[in-house]
Amino acid sequence: MPPRPDHRERTLIAPAICAGVGVHTGQRVRLAIRPAPTGTGIVFVRTDVTDRDNRIVVSGDVVVDARLNTMIENAAGVQLSTIEHLMAAFCALGVSNVIVEVDGPELPILDGSALPFVQLLDRAGFRRQEAPVRYIEILEPIHVTDGDKHAALYPCDRYEMRFEIDFDNPVIGNQVIDFVVDEQTFRDEIMAARTFGFAHEVEALRQAGLARGGSLENAVVIDGDDILNPGGLRMEREFVRHKALDAIGDLYVMGAPLLGRYEGYKAGHAVNNLLVRALLAAPHAWREVVLEPQLAQVG
């Protein structure tokens, strides 16, 4: 996101607690997001795992599966799925340091967007920390391609994003969004966009052990020319807005907000993680920067 005026890290004032069902496992889980000191970063803790290291410190290289969600894993083999919507909320709201406790293998999907996570964090409140925010400044373009999908990062003095999707389906079709990734835009245009899928894919996913918790309560479901959700869409171009939401969360696994422009075409979690890994493997293409607080203008 664009630099905050004070460029300082944030955590929460109080714990934020909720419960829900994992979209793929169908398992009910309890989630507690707790304040953490400067330098902690985003750390997930599987409280149901007690026989080995149950902490997963988020970074670009702990993502181990990105087919239908973003799954992370620590060196002890402890995994956690579907972190991307909460990570997007952390990024947009400038949350740098928290401990996230979850008693199951997947975060709750809630309504399929980042809106409930933002509401949860808002209720807990935010505390400014003295450490300066580290930004990842893009110095040279980085591109990745996977078939007809591609994504890229370009130098820019703020965090910008352009996303395009193109589905051979009349309900979705071709959709484009281009915006500055800041807190207000995220709240106004991105956070409420829900995940989506096709009715004909649901049974195949369930046979594969996925989408067991999916329903019209937490996803937009398309059947041919129809949207099955009784209320229809929440907003214009909800589909591409959700893909942008996913990308914001997928990129925040690097542990710092970007100063750069992301462009994605039909990119999903896998392509986004390829981009993260390509960037981290090219140290000449980026640097960490700390920005000084903006001084008040005189005159």
Side-chain angles (χ1 to χ4, degrees):
M1 55 187 298
R4 290 182 174 277
D6 64 358
H7 309 300
R8 291 296 182 260
E9 292 185 349
R10 286 177 119 186
T11 188
L12 300 184
I13 293 174
I17 298 171
C18 71
V21 172
V23 68
H24 290 303
T25 62
Q27 182 173 328
R28 186 164 180 81
V29 291
R30 183 176 182 273
L31 177 75
I33 309 168
R34 303 189 185 280
T38 290
T40 302
I42 309 297
V43 179
F44 288 94
V45 180
R46 282 279 305 273
T47 58
D48 59 314
V49 175
T50 58
D51 62 340
R52 54 198 153 137
D53 181 15
N54 63 359
R55 293 167 55 91
I56 311 173
V57 181
V58 174
S59 68
D61 58 4
V62 299
V63 176
V64 293
D65 193 341
R67 287 172 296 174
L68 293 172
N69 66 82
T70 297
M71 176 190 287
I72 56 177
E73 181 180 354
N74 68 10
V78 175
Q79 298 178 337
L80 183 65
S81 297
T82 319
I83 68 167
E84 58 271 12
H85 301 167
L86 179 58
M87 291 295 291
F90 285 156
C91 180
L93 275 56
V95 175
S96 308
N97 303 294
V98 281
I99 303 291
V100 184
E101 298 174 350
V102 58
D103 64 356
E106 182 180 20
L107 292 194
I109 190 64
L110 302 180
D111 76 346
S113 78
L115 172 60
F117 289 125
V118 171
Q119 293 172 331
L120 190 68
L121 297 171
D122 282 347
R123 286 195 294 271
F126 304 98
R127 180 166 62 82
R128 177 184 182 274
Q129 298 176 296
E130 288 307 310
V133 172
R134 298 175 300 105
Y135 295 93
I136 294 177
E137 181 182 14
I138 307 302
L139 303 176
E140 298 177 16
I142 295 287
H143 303 260
V144 295
T145 300
D146 180 12
D148 64 344
K149 307 174 181 69
H150 56 82
L153 290 169
Y154 300 98
C156 187
D157 62 0
R158 60 185 184 177
Y159 192 176
E160 295 182 355
M161 179 169 286
R162 181 187 190 276
F163 211 107
E164 181 177 357
I165 58 175
D166 195 358
F167 282 81
D168 185 17
N169 176 279
V171 175
I172 306 177
N174 181 274
Q175 296 185 7
V176 179
I177 189 170
D178 197 323
F179 62 104
V180 176
V181 185
D182 61 23
E183 181 172 342
Q184 197 59 53
T185 303
F186 187 82
R187 289 178 180 273
D188 293 345
E189 303 181 18
I190 304 297
M191 71 177 182
R194 294 163 294 174
T195 192
F196 60 93
F198 296 92
H200 69 269
E201 296 176 344
V202 171
E203 187 54 38
L205 287 171
R206 287 181 175 162
Q207 291 288 337
L210 300 170
R212 291 175 175 170
S215 72
L216 297 180
E217 299 297 317
N218 55 41
V220 178
V221 181
I222 303 149
D223 188 7
D225 296 352
D226 300 315
I227 293 173
L228 299 184
N229 303 66
L233 296 178
R234 287 180 172 176
M235 64 193 79
E236 179 191 12
R237 294 174 292 158
E238 183 169 358
F239 304 104
V240 74
R241 293 177 196 276
H242 184 79
K243 297 294 281 187
L245 186 162
D246 280 345
I248 293 168
D250 289 343
L251 295 175
Y252 200 49
V253 299
M254 291 185 287
L258 291 178
L259 292 177
R261 177 175 174 84
Y262 167 94
E263 294 188 0
Y265 175 73
K266 299 173 76 168
H269 303 299
V271 171
N272 291 335
N273 190 244
L274 284 176
L275 185 63
V276 167
R277 290 176 181 273
L279 181 68
L280 297 178
H284 60 280
W286 62 281
R287 65 178 177 182
E288 286 190 355
V289 294
V290 172
L291 303 178
E292 293 302 317
Q294 297 171 359
L295 298 177
Q297 296 295 315
V298 179

